[in-house]
Amino acid sequence: MPSYSPAPGGVGLVLGAGGTVGLAYHCGVLHALAQVAGVKADEAELVVGTSAGSVIGAYLRAGWTTDDMWQFALGTHPTLASMAPDELDERRHAIFVPAWATPRELARRGVGSAYVFARSVVRGPQIPVPSALRHRFPGGLFAMVEGERRFADELPEDWPERPLWLCAVDISSGRRVVLGRAGSPPVGLREAVMASCAIPGVYKPVRLGTMTLVDGGAHSTTNLDLASKAGCRLIIGIAPMAFDPDAPPDRLRQLTRRTSARALAGEARAARRRGADVLLVRPTGAELALHGTNLMRADAGEQIARAAYEVTARLLGTDRFRTALDDHEL
């Protein structure tokens, strides 16, 4: 595990949660940052990832380029080229493999999953749950079979040399756990990604010592505050679960994203008070109409990535972004 923190004054890249839709959105935004503004995402002093953002961050630090990610979103990456359409479709749907085989198992998992979800929403120390009870009522209705397979094939077990912080929540204590940060519990990179992606009640939590870890989005969909507290002077935050207030969606979509948007705005204000320059990239209302209501869509990909690229390219042409990136010589 890493035993150091990023040098203060550098660039912090914050990659937020957002499911498979968020993965495609990140791919488009990062491609625009590289192609239009020359921003080399993998060279950021610190990368903070939450849920879908943890996947993107891990792949960046593992050597994937933003062009690799762009091609993956478009379905043209070499790792996909040899697959027949039916095999590709089967693998895309293998992120939601039922974890039960009988109605009785489903009922038990339903109880366990409801408990995990409740603990993720209502935080605070809990009364210890006997291991026998945990085994009888396991949390998580589905398995991310394709995700686990790809992580095992494409991600190293060891952490990268450059700082990568992946966010999870320990439902035993209600506290955020930042994996990869100095002083964090030892865990392999692949398992850390799985923990950060363990949507409460949907996927099985990750047990790490005395902790029971779920998706870091249960604390914050971006955890942008970590970059400012680490001393980053420029923070580029990509937030698929918020929305652009200058081009907002309809009221219903604003309502469903209000918590994420307000939390992000508060984190950005706090970072600016600490002296950081913060650039936020968030989907517009038109983009959110493309995203749909299911953030874990199996067909999330090219259309979402292309829209993210086009909107981000325009954003990078604004005075606000040009000035900030020029000031930090990016």
Side-chain angles (χ1 to χ4, degrees):
M1 287 287 291
S3 58
Y4 56 86
S5 295
V11 176
L13 178 64
V14 176
L15 305 168
T20 56
V21 169
L23 291 174
Y25 182 78
H26 278 301
C27 292
V29 173
L30 291 173
H31 190 59
L33 284 168
Q35 295 296 310
V36 178
V39 175
K40 298 179 180 178
D42 58 314
E43 294 184 4
E45 184 63 33
L46 171 65
V47 174
V48 177
T50 301
S51 197
S54 74
V55 177
I56 297 293
Y59 273 82
L60 276 176
R61 288 304 205 211
W64 276 48
T65 66
T66 54
D67 188 58
D68 283 324
M69 294 180 180
W70 175 249
Q71 290 184 43
F72 190 84
L74 268 55
T76 58
H77 193 268
T79 60
L80 305 174
S82 62
M83 295 184 195
D86 57 341
E87 181 186 4
L88 187 58
D89 186 62
E90 181 180 350
R91 290 199 172 189
R92 284 173 174 164
H93 283 86
I95 58 169
F96 274 126
V97 177
W100 73 92
T102 67
R104 187 172 184 177
E105 282 185 69
L106 174 58
R108 287 179 176 175
R109 284 192 172 272
V111 172
S113 297
Y115 173 78
V116 170
F117 180 80
R119 287 295 309 162
S120 303
V121 175
V122 182
R123 299 192 209 116
Q126 69 170 5
I127 299 173
V129 177
S131 59
L133 200 58
R134 285 201 307 268
H135 289 308
R136 187 170 179 80
F137 299 100
L141 294 172
F142 298 93
M144 196 190 302
V145 173
E146 176 62 6
E148 292 187 56
R149 187 198 65 78
R150 293 198 70 98
F151 299 158
D153 289 346
E154 298 167 353
L155 292 179
E157 184 61 13
D158 296 334
W159 285 74
E161 293 183 3
R162 305 198 72 177
L164 170 66
W165 294 358
L166 305 183
C167 301
V169 169
D170 174 23
I171 62 171
S172 300
S173 65
R175 295 178 180 176
R176 176 173 64 185
V177 178
V178 185
L179 302 168
R181 184 169 63 175
S184 65
V187 61
L189 177 60
R190 300 166 193 160
E191 190 173 14
V193 173
M194 291 298 295
S196 186
C197 292
I199 302 172
V202 177
Y203 293 124
K204 178 183 177 181
V206 172
R207 293 281 298 177
L208 185 60
T210 61
M211 297 187 296
T212 302
L213 301 180
V214 298
D215 193 313
H219 177 86
S220 163
T221 60
T222 59
N223 291 286
L224 185 142
D225 63 299
L226 293 172
S228 63
K229 291 174 182 176
C232 295
R233 298 269 58 87
L234 172 64
I235 300 171
I236 301 174
I238 306 174
M241 293 188 69
F243 62 85
D244 186 344
D246 292 330
D250 58 67
R251 290 190 177 183
L252 179 59
R253 286 192 173 93
Q254 287 187 48
L255 182 63
T256 59
R257 291 169 176 263
R258 182 171 59 184
T259 299
S260 297
R262 286 182 174 177
L264 175 61
E267 291 171 355
R269 283 195 301 270
R272 290 176 179 125
R273 285 196 296 269
R274 294 188 182 98
D277 208 347
V278 181
L279 298 176
L280 298 178
V281 183
R282 297 154 291 187
T284 62
E287 287 178 278
L288 290 177
L290 292 175
H291 291 191
T293 57
N294 179 11
L295 296 181
M296 295 298 291
R297 291 167 50 186
D299 63 345
E302 180 174 1
Q303 190 178 28
I304 293 168
R306 287 193 182 280
Y309 175 88
E310 292 169 4
V311 172
T312 305
R314 291 196 295 270
L315 194 62
L316 291 169
T318 62
D319 291 340
R320 169 81 180 96
F321 273 70
R322 283 203 310 267
T323 300
L325 295 175
D326 287 345
D327 286 348
H328 293 274
E329 299 182 351
L330 289 176

